[in-house]
Amino acid sequence: MYLISGIIFLCTTLTVHHAAKILAVFPVCSKSHFTPGFILMKELAQRGHEITFINAFPQKEPIKNLRDISVEEVKTSLAGFLNNEKLTSLRKMNYWNVMEFVSTLGETYTEVVLRNQNVQNLLNSGEKFDLVIMEHFWNEALAIFAHRFNCPLVYFATGPVSIFNSHLIANPTYSSYIPNFLTTLGSQMNFLERLKNLFVNILCVTYAEFKSIPKQNALLKATFPDSPNLENIVYNASLMFVVSHISIHDPLPLQPSIKYIGGHHVGSLKPLPIKIKQFMENASEGVIVFSLGSILRSCDLTFQQKEVILNVFSKMKQKILWKYERDLDGLPRNVMISNWLPQQEVLAHPNTVAFIGHGGLLGVMESVYFGVPILGIPTYWDQYKNIEDVVRRGMAVKLNLHDLTEETFSNALNEILNNPKYRDNAKLRSKIMQDQPVKPLDEAVFWVEYVIRHKGAPHLKSAALHLTWYQKYLIDIVLFVGFLVITISFFILFIMKYIFFNSKVYVSDHEKNK
Ligand SMILES: *[C@@H]1O[C@H](CO)[C@@H](O)[C@H](O)[C@H]1NC(C)=O
């Protein structure tokens, strides 16, 4: 007993002793970008660190050690991007235009953040920070915070390692077996798929290099004329957190400065609200959980789509719990709607038999964590890839929103519910995700403190960060060796010709002329 309280005492004093000042920058006004950062910041605050948190969802009730710097106006500035119509139109765009869309979105909110009065005040306050953690999402200019406060920088990717963030840490990007996530390719690719993957990767790198980074650089120079070039501050990060896990994503080579923390947001469960609890407990045939996330809302589905969905539901023996943001007439008796769902808690319920979701990474992570098969209805950006990944692992079925009919919808649902393979594979993936030496959130905290303890941990930085692309891929060496081989071959050929043939040829020509 004394030993335990002694250890607890020691732990608390140690935490307080190492309390650090951390600036977190998570300004995207979408819960799937905000929440992963917020969970980590809340935990760091609870462990005694002093957090300054730039975000668009400031707390209504203050949290100890956590100071919000609100950039709520990001919501207004991105309203033209983050709406159903725009996001579902991405499906019809080519890769270049998709990048144009997200990069313009990035440019828009980056500018709003840099020009925000409170942010400006902070930058000019002379405050000191031990670390800056920023979400990386088409916003490189925000790396200026770490430079201004002269402290280590940690990136936080609210998605897997990809062609869009690998370069920040100089992580290898082999087109032969690391699929680009704009495509829905898996890691086992045939010749044509590898060709396509290489092509899309080159397209993405070209876009970033010649369009996106210059835009961010211009933005930075416009706001802070005295700041160094973007390349000098962007490639100086100590670490990159990635919301990814081997239970979902394919194995990749990873630099030691990349840390997978997928599942860190899955936490201690709260009791279910009484109405939902009763509904779920009385479902002897099981419950299907249905949510399309916070951006594409179920109430924005077309009239026909809703009719299809309700018709299919009314014929099911299972109960359906649907995150639906308005009132809905003519609900079948087995369907309950709610404008908010405690998603982790309902997915964790033993009566839950399937999850109908849009393929947002956090929802997919939760489904995998609790071993629930997925009917995925992806609509934009990384959702296709997220769903494709779980389909490949045999725990999901994909249905495109534009293919939604009573027949396709009920077929997909029946497949998920009646073929035991989906449930078995979901359970298997769940075991893999839960089998970890340390909880992902604890691991994230450890690495944050590690970077602070080791003054930016420069020993983690790869030498590849100092190479140009042609040096990294040995193009200069290949060209040089190629040149050498060709030159030497010609030289040898020339000499051989001179020794063995030249005189004969001369002689024969000579004879001919005679
Ligand atoms: C690079 O990061 C280190 C800390 O990790 C910091 O001291 C240094 O000022 C940074 N360099 C630039 C150009 O921001």
Side-chain angles (χ1 to χ4, degrees):
M1 198 56 208
Y2 283 120
L3 187 66
I4 292 175
S5 36
I7 290 172
I8 291 173
F9 174 75
L10 208 65
C11 288
T12 10
T13 40
L14 277 180
T15 327
V16 173
H17 193 73
H18 290 293
K21 282 196 71 172
I22 298 171
L23 174 63
V25 189
F26 287 77
V28 181
C29 57
S30 144
K31 287 283 164 124
S32 46
H33 292 258
F34 165 80
T35 307
F38 177 58
I39 299 278
L40 177 57
M41 292 318 134
K42 216 167 51 170
E43 183 68 22
L44 287 166
Q46 209 186 340
R47 301 200 192 193
H49 298 296
E50 229 179 284
I51 312 295
T52 304
F53 190 25
I54 299 179
N55 71 89
F57 300 101
Q59 295 303 305
K60 298 196 177 70
E61 311 221 330
I63 294 177
K64 195 175 162 231
N65 294 337
L66 194 148
R67 165 177 60 149
D68 278 315
I69 293 190
S70 167
V71 288
E72 265 179 293
E73 69 272 25
V74 167
K75 288 180 188 162
T76 347
S77 74
L78 293 189
F81 295 88
L82 299 178
N83 62 62
N84 258 12
E85 208 183 322
K86 263 281 152 58
L87 291 171
T88 43
S89 72
L90 287 181
R91 180 174 68 84
K92 300 190 199 97
M93 290 185 193
N94 61 35
Y95 296 132
W96 189 267
N97 289 343
V98 169
M99 286 189 279
E100 190 77 27
F101 175 85
V102 277
S103 138
T104 316
L105 180 158
E107 200 187 355
T108 306
Y109 82 79
T110 305
E111 180 163 15
V112 169
V113 172
L114 289 176
R115 292 194 189 286
N116 176 286
Q117 195 52 51
N118 298 328
V119 170
Q120 287 279 342
N121 292 348
L122 179 76
L123 280 164
N124 298 321
S125 65
E127 253 190 78
K128 297 250 180 297
F129 287 99
D130 299 304
L131 184 79
V132 168
I133 305 183
M134 64 173 269
E135 187 201 359
H136 174 257
F137 189 70
W138 304 87
N139 58 358
E140 286 82 0
L142 298 183
I144 186 67
F145 289 109
H147 177 71
R148 273 292 178 109
F149 294 116
N150 192 23
C151 66
L153 172 65
V154 168
Y155 286 118
F156 192 119
T158 45
V161 174
S162 77
I163 193 76
F164 298 119
N165 55 32
S166 293
H167 61 104
L168 298 168
I169 300 284
N171 204 53
T173 52
Y174 296 101
S175 296
S176 47
Y177 65 94
I178 305 179
N180 184 298
F181 89 88
L182 291 184
T183 71
T184 45
L185 296 168
S187 53
Q188 294 183 19
M189 291 176 267
N190 62 30
F191 181 81
L192 284 180
E193 288 171 334
R194 275 178 278 136
L195 187 65
K196 174 179 176 181
N197 197 42
L198 174 67
F199 172 75
V200 183
N201 273 342
I202 291 175
L203 202 70
C204 291
V205 171
T206 310
Y207 188 89
E209 190 67 27
F210 295 104
K211 299 278 285 190
S212 169
I213 297 278
K215 278 200 266 183
Q216 289 283 330
N217 200 17
L219 196 58
L220 182 66
K221 291 284 164 117
T223 337
F224 303 101
D226 59 334
S227 78
N229 255 340
L230 201 56
E231 294 90 73
N232 299 332
I233 53 181
V234 164
Y235 297 109
N236 190 31
S238 304
L239 209 66
M240 180 162 78
F241 286 126
V242 177
V243 179
S244 181
H245 191 256
I246 204 69
S247 52
I248 306 181
H249 295 117
D250 293 313
L252 301 177
L254 292 177
Q255 293 283 11
S257 50
I258 293 186
K259 303 296 171 198
Y260 274 9
I261 58 163
H264 79 295
H265 78 290
V266 186
S268 47
L269 303 174
K270 297 191 186 72
L272 281 171
I274 194 77
K275 237 178 104 193
I276 294 180
K277 186 177 152 86
Q278 275 171 356
F279 181 80
M280 296 192 82
E281 307 264 93
N282 293 332
S284 50
E285 297 290 337
V287 179
I288 299 166
V289 179
F290 181 13
S291 166
L292 292 180
S294 56
I295 297 210
L296 176 88
R297 301 178 311 162
S298 294
C299 68
D300 296 333
L301 292 169
T302 65
F303 178 76
Q304 285 83 355
Q305 287 166 336
K306 287 180 209 173
E307 204 174 46
V308 163
I309 289 168
L310 285 177
N311 279 347
V312 171
F313 283 167
S314 69
K315 289 176 200 135
M316 317 263 324
K317 55 184 197 278
Q318 288 82 7
K319 288 192 170 187
I320 293 102
L321 192 54
W322 187 2
K323 176 183 169 286
Y324 191 90
E325 302 80 4
R326 274 190 227 137
D327 286 336
L328 191 57
D329 287 335
L331 269 192
R333 253 196 298 172
N334 60 338
V335 179
M336 174 175 165
I337 57 170
S338 169
N339 61 7
W340 175 80
L341 282 184
Q343 194 162 290
Q344 292 185 27
E345 283 79 0
V346 293
L347 287 175
H349 196 283
N351 281 356
T352 299
V353 288
F355 176 50
I356 309 175
H358 63 315
L361 189 55
L362 298 186
V364 170
M365 287 274 168
E366 290 162 12
S367 243
V368 171
Y369 189 92
F370 295 114
V372 179
I374 303 173
L375 168 55
I377 310 182
T379 42
Y380 59 88
W381 196 234
D382 62 335
Q383 296 169 359
Y384 291 98
K385 161 86 174 140
N386 297 337
I387 292 299
E388 216 59 62
D389 279 337
V390 273
V391 166
R392 249 178 242 116
R393 280 150 188 82
M395 61 167 285
V397 166
K398 183 178 102 168
L399 176 63
N400 288 318
L401 195 55
H402 52 274
D403 292 334
L404 184 86
T405 62
E406 280 190 36
E407 199 191 345
T408 55
F409 191 48
S410 73
N411 283 352
L413 266 177
N414 285 330
E415 171 73 6
I416 279 281
L417 294 168
N418 300 334
N419 187 339
K421 133 182 162 181
Y422 297 98
R423 189 154 192 94
D424 293 347
N425 284 324
K427 292 281 173 243
L428 176 77
R429 291 289 145 185
S430 165
K431 271 196 192 135
I432 298 173
M433 185 177 259
Q434 296 194 21
D435 195 356
Q436 300 197 43
V438 188
K439 283 208 182 101
L441 186 56
D442 291 334
E443 178 157 5
V445 170
F446 172 84
W447 287 111
V448 166
E449 293 173 345
Y450 181 95
V451 167
I452 297 171
R453 273 200 300 277
H454 294 276
K455 312 263 179 295
H459 53 276
L460 293 180
K461 285 183 193 156
S462 166
L465 281 165
H466 304 293
L467 299 176
T468 63
W469 64 273
Y470 56 86
Q471 290 170 330
K472 196 154 67 182
Y473 294 106
L474 293 174
I475 309 268
D476 50 348
I477 304 289
V478 169
L479 288 179
F480 174 72
V481 172
F483 174 77
L484 226 58
V485 168
I486 292 171
T487 317
I488 291 172
S489 313
F490 268 113
F491 187 68
I492 293 174
L493 225 64
F494 178 75
I495 297 211
M496 299 218 313
K497 199 173 162 197
Y498 183 79
I499 295 173
F500 295 111
F501 302 110
N502 229 18
S503 44
K504 275 191 207 151
V505 170
Y506 174 77
V507 169
S508 61
D509 278 1
H510 189 71
E511 308 237 292
K512 226 190 280 160
N513 286 345
K514 248 182 177 175

